[in-house]
Amino acid sequence: MSETIESFLTAAHRTFVEVTRREPGYFGTRPLRAGEPPQGAAAAVAAAFGVTLRPAGRREFTAVDDLLDRRRRASPPNDPPSTGRWEGWRERQDRRGAVRAARAAHLARAMDRRAARRSGRGLRYRAGGQGSLLVLLTALGHTDEVWHPLAERLLAGRRVVMWDAGEDAPSGGPWTLDGQLADIDAVLAAEGAESCDVVAWCSGAQIAVEYAHRRPDTVRAAVLLHGSYPRAGGDPSSAYERNLGAVCASVAARPERAARALRALGGEAAPVPLPDDEHRAAVEVLARTPPGLDALLRRPFRDARALVRYSRQLTELWQRPIPAPGPGLPPLLSLGGELDRIAAPEPPAALVPLLTGGHGLLVGATHYSLLDRPDVVAAVCGAFLDDPAAGPPVAAGGHEIRWNPVRPVTSAGSVTSVSPIQPVNPLHEEVTS
């Protein structure tokens, strides 16, 4: 079928919302480019978004234009053919987005509050939906609120459970990785489940790998989303990971340094003006953290006591090596972000042999795709967890994800001789914390 204006505008709407959320005036002085847009698209884009659409070749595309191009190749129309009331079309899309956002925001109240017992104390968690059990593992120091947009999309046909990452052990003592893994066992026991799927984010990804290694008969499959792991000297790492590791090691060794470390880490800074160069400006606007999330994302750094606990947790976690490949390990799929400036987009070498499900890179995405692109992430997670033996769910991600080959593990636990993952992140630029 030939591309319709509606399908083109569906891709343009997603791109417009993502960009203007970060920089409302971005398109005030910059056009949107597209190769061979459908007839009438320029007038429709102007009417719907107040944006100039300019036909162009791919060599002229900025990162924003490239994202639109990838999305338009996989965008079905949301509405039947229209007669030209594009302002009304835009309003309908905005309302749909607002309704979905409201459902995610109220998800905590819609899910059941339950408790699992461990070490004589209760571990509170949320549960909702019916079907096979899906465990969402939160990053250290964070609450389950980071999952709400993604969890709302994964509930259909699944029993989803999630909880705040504990800052202390249920006994009141210090957090340990072994205790965190015992928490997962306790939740499964409370749910009466013998097996589960796992989706884990950031430092939660390493916890998921460790749990899958220790409980290969319990975990069916796992998705590792923007995983942050201990890295060897030759591994790609972000400047943020290096700085954070040094800060946390220092605070863990000498907690009295926490207040000074907080001042060094700083709070939410006002975005710096975008560069004059249009290509750099497009990269920088996509790389910005979505606004309005500071309290949520900076929870591990909310005060000195929180930073001390977080520093001890992260230091212990990053001192644990990634488990070696072994027989029976469940399928693992990794997703990184091309513009992730928190965790390195590429996995460490020690993890690559475990990624039997593959590694994908979300084009133009940050560390927070679970909040910023929940539809795409949910589609990939759902397709992979429904059929993990099939490997990377290429169709689910469309052209928005670039997939890398991996070195699969054989049934005997050895690694086959397939080319290792290579960095494919030309837009990534490291920044300090």
Side-chain angles (χ1 to χ4, degrees), residues 236-240 242 340-341 344 427-432:
S237 62
S238 70
Y240 185 88
R242 294 195 296 272
D340 193 334
R341 293 176 173 176
L427 299 180
H428 178 63
E429 297 175 288
E430 292 183 343
V431 296
T432 64

Side-chain angles (χ1 to χ4, degrees), residues 133-158:
L133 190 68
L134 172 59
V135 174
L136 303 182
L137 282 184
T138 311
L140 295 176
H142 288 277
T143 69
D144 66 18
E145 189 178 352
V146 298
W147 289 114
H148 292 179
L150 186 60
E152 190 269 331
R153 289 159 170 82
L154 291 173
L155 275 170
R158 292 182 174 83

Side-chain angles (χ1 to χ4, degrees), residues 1-309:
M1 294 179 61
S2 59
E3 184 180 29
T4 65
I5 294 180
E6 287 80 9
S7 63
F8 181 87
L9 285 190
T10 297
H13 183 260
R14 283 189 61 207
T15 306
F16 175 84
V17 169
E18 187 167 335
V19 170
T20 56
R21 184 183 176 196
R22 291 164 164 78
E23 179 56 63
Y26 181 85
F27 290 111
T29 58
R30 301 176 182 88
L32 190 61
R33 297 174 183 82
E36 299 182 358
Q39 187 175 1
V45 167
F49 311 115
V51 173
T52 299
L53 177 66
R54 181 180 299 168
R58 290 188 58 82
R59 290 186 178 182
E60 299 179 58
F61 285 2
T62 66
V64 169
D65 305 324
D66 177 67
L67 194 56
L68 166 63
D69 188 66
R70 292 172 178 277
R71 287 170 169 168
R72 64 185 285 202
R73 286 182 267 168
S75 292
N78 278 353
D79 288 328
S82 305
T83 58
R85 282 284 302 158
W86 302 116
E87 300 91 336
W89 181 93
R90 155 82 182 281
E91 291 171 359
R92 290 195 297 276
Q93 311 316 309
D94 288 345
R95 283 198 298 271
R96 287 172 178 168
V99 169
R100 200 74 193 252
R103 287 212 304 262
H106 291 88
L107 184 68
R109 292 201 292 269
M111 298 180 77
D112 297 330
R113 292 287 289 174
R114 294 173 58 82
R117 303 297 298 179
R118 184 171 82 80
S119 301
R121 297 183 63 179
L123 170 68
R124 296 187 178 276
Y125 67 95
R126 301 185 197 276
Q130 298 294 327
S132 58
L133 190 68
L134 172 59
V135 174
L136 303 182
L137 282 184
T138 311
L140 295 176
H142 288 277
T143 69
D144 66 18
E145 189 178 352
V146 298
W147 289 114
H148 292 179
L150 186 60
E152 190 269 331
R153 289 159 170 82
L154 291 173
L155 275 170
R158 292 182 174 83
R159 175 71 168 172
V160 177
V161 297
M162 57 187 181
W163 59 93
D164 299 347
E167 296 184 319
D168 298 296
S171 62
W175 179 94
T176 64
L177 175 58
D178 290 340
Q180 182 82 3
L181 301 179
D183 286 347
I184 305 174
D185 285 338
V187 171
L188 264 63
E191 289 291 311
E194 295 182 354
S195 64
C196 67
D197 294 321
V198 177
V199 177
W201 173 62
C202 192
S203 51
Q206 187 185 347
I207 297 170
V209 172
E210 187 70 36
Y211 189 74
H213 185 262
R214 297 194 192 185
R215 304 280 191 274
D217 295 330
T218 299
V219 179
R220 287 184 59 254
V223 179
L224 313 174
L225 186 59
H226 303 290
S228 186
Y229 312 94
R231 294 178 181 268
D235 287 330
S237 62
S238 70
Y240 185 88
E241 283 176 310
R242 294 195 296 272
N243 293 346
L244 183 63
V247 168
C248 287
S250 174
V251 172
R254 297 183 59 181
E256 67 273 14
R257 294 173 174 171
R260 181 180 178 184
L262 279 178
R263 290 193 294 271
L265 289 169
E268 184 178 28
V272 298
L274 293 174
D276 292 333
D277 179 84
E278 195 167 355
H279 289 274
R280 289 189 61 203
V283 172
E284 289 303 315
V285 76
L286 292 174
R288 286 181 175 178
T289 301
L293 300 175
D294 188 54
L296 175 64
L297 300 180
R298 288 191 59 82
R299 188 173 183 274
F301 317 109
R302 65 189 183 276
D303 57 41
R305 291 185 62 194
L307 178 59
V308 170
R309 291 192 293 264

Side-chain angles (χ1 to χ4, degrees), residues 314-407:
L314 192 69
T315 300
E316 180 190 338
L317 188 64
W318 281 2
Q319 287 174 344
R320 297 286 189 105
I322 292 172
L329 188 73
L332 303 180
L333 173 73
S334 171
L335 283 179
E338 183 181 43
L339 299 179
D340 193 334
R341 293 176 173 176
I342 302 298
E346 294 82 26
L351 182 64
V352 172
L354 282 65
L355 299 179
T356 52
H359 173 70
L361 201 64
L362 286 151
V363 175
T366 71
H367 192 64
Y368 308 109
S369 66
L370 70 174
L371 294 161
D372 214 30
R373 299 189 188 176
D375 289 322
V376 173
V377 176
V380 172
C381 290
F384 176 70
L385 297 177
D386 285 344
D387 188 10
V394 176
H399 298 277
E400 227 169 301
I401 298 178
R402 291 202 298 266
W403 294 99
N404 274 314
V406 298
R407 297 171 291 179

Side-chain angles (χ1 to χ4, degrees), residues 325 352-356 405-420:
V352 172
L354 282 65
L355 299 179
T356 52
V406 298
R407 297 171 291 179
V409 180
T410 69
S411 59
S414 61
V415 180
T416 60
S417 56
V418 178
S419 298

